[in-house]
Amino acid sequence: MTQRCAVIGGGTMGAGIAYVAATAGLDVDLVEVDAVRSAGAVEMLRARWDEAVRRGKLDAGAAADARTRINAVTSIDAIGDGPDVLVEAVPEVLALKRDVLRAAEAKWPGLLASNTSSIPIGELAVGLRAPERFIGLHFFNPVWAMALLEIVVGPATAAPTTAAAVALAERLGKEPIVVRDSPGFATSRLGVTLGLEAIRMLEENVASAADIDKGMVLGYRHPMGPLELTDHVGLDVRLGVARTLRAAYGDRFAPPPLLERLVAEGKLGRKSGQGFYTWADGKRQ
């Protein structure tokens, strides 16, 4: 049974993965090289467990136990050798991810994974000594609330690795889907298509952001509209995925100028306080 987990990257997704792993009873090394961001990730985790207790999702004892399972460190070298699973969750930059994964593999994890939402697993596996133990684990934001875990099987991924990933998903309380490796996998290709078209509609003054979102929520039973979802994901993340998919599939995934302008202005969505909506204390205004 999986007992030790390491997560590299203390941003929104990395901290969320650490949260669900620790809550499920795993001991977690959370690596964030920036000391300020590391402290911020630990504080976010504390606040999330407090909120779970307040809302009756978790009892106080379980939350307190989960907190003790997080070990925040500032380098990959600080991870103990041989973790059962190691998940890379750094920004969607191919060269950066490859460097991190090669360093992570030196810790000889039983299962090595990337949380990439768009970069092919086969491309990330270049330079790995044991690509058969490497797989994609695409979590969704917010990780503690979203049930889906997209498992991406690379060209060299071995069948026992896929089976271990499915077992891990179940241990974490997630519903897995298994997909073949391709740019954007299944979910990002579909989700980004809708998100980019919603941004183009806003750009063309078809409707307000709120009304575009309301149309999808009330008309198609989406739990959240595509523009609000982009604010949650991060406009910079959405832009990076769109650029990856454009390189693979052509101009149907070309980023709208509005998206590029907002990212250039630092309007990244919920995490920056401004995107398609205004945010304060994590809540849409």
Side-chain angles (χ1 to χ4, degrees):
M1 179 181 288
T2 299
Q3 291 296 342
R4 291 181 54 226
C5 174
V7 180
I8 302 175
T12 301
M13 295 305 297
I17 296 165
Y19 176 92
V20 296
T23 302
L26 281 66
D27 294 323
V28 181
D29 287 331
L30 177 59
V31 181
E32 173 51 65
V33 296
D34 184 285
V36 174
R37 289 178 185 164
S38 179
V42 171
E43 175 59 23
M44 186 278 283
L45 290 171
R46 182 201 62 75
R48 174 49 47 188
W49 275 307
D50 287 348
E51 177 71 5
V53 171
R54 187 185 68 78
R55 297 179 61 187
K57 302 288 187 182
L58 201 64
D59 67 57
D65 286 346
R67 286 190 188 97
T68 68
R69 297 190 189 104
I70 295 289
N71 176 38
V73 297
T74 55
S75 72
I76 294 173
D77 289 342
I79 298 173
D81 288 338
D84 297 292
V85 58
L86 193 156
V87 183
E88 167 271 308
V90 302
E92 292 282 285
V93 178
L94 177 60
L96 172 63
K97 284 183 176 288
R98 280 179 175 167
D99 287 346
V100 168
L101 286 165
R102 283 195 290 267
E105 189 182 38
K107 291 296 179 178
W108 288 103
L111 178 70
L112 178 64
S114 173
N115 181 55
T116 181
S117 58
S118 62
I119 301 174
I121 297 304
E123 291 187 19
L124 291 174
V126 171
L128 295 181
R129 289 172 290 180
E132 68 277 6
R133 293 199 314 231
F134 179 53
I135 200 163
L137 293 180
H138 179 203
F139 291 84
F140 291 78
N141 185 37
V143 180
W144 47 81
M146 300 296 280
L148 181 64
L149 178 55
E150 186 176 35
I151 296 173
V152 187
V153 179
T157 304
T161 300
T162 304
V166 171
L168 175 65
E170 294 167 350
R171 173 80 183 275
L172 298 180
K174 301 300 182 186
E175 292 284 346
I177 61 171
V178 178
V179 304
R180 183 178 63 82
D181 190 25
S182 63
F185 320 131
T187 57
S188 288
R189 283 177 69 176
L190 291 171
V192 170
T193 298
L194 178 60
L196 295 182
E197 192 59 29
I199 296 168
R200 293 187 190 103
M201 290 169 63
L202 183 63
E203 214 169 34
E204 296 164 7
N205 295 313
V206 172
S208 68
D211 282 349
I212 291 170
D213 280 349
K214 185 186 288 187
M216 297 309 298
V217 170
L218 299 183
Y220 290 86
R221 293 194 162 195
H222 288 202
M224 182 183 297
L227 297 172
E228 184 174 358
L229 179 59
T230 298
D231 269 10
H232 277 274
V233 170
L235 276 69
D236 53 334
V237 175
R238 186 70 92 195
L239 177 59
V241 173
R243 286 171 171 165
T244 296
L245 295 182
R246 184 185 194 182
Y249 302 116
D251 284 346
R252 59 185 163 134
F253 286 104
L258 175 60
L259 177 61
E260 293 184 313
R261 176 171 63 79
L262 291 173
V263 171
E265 293 172 355
K267 297 174 180 176
L268 307 181
R270 183 172 178 264
K271 61 188 173 185
S272 70
Q274 184 65 53
F276 297 110
Y277 298 95
T278 300
W279 299 83
D281 297 324
K283 294 182 173 58
R284 179 179 149 189
Q285 301 302 293

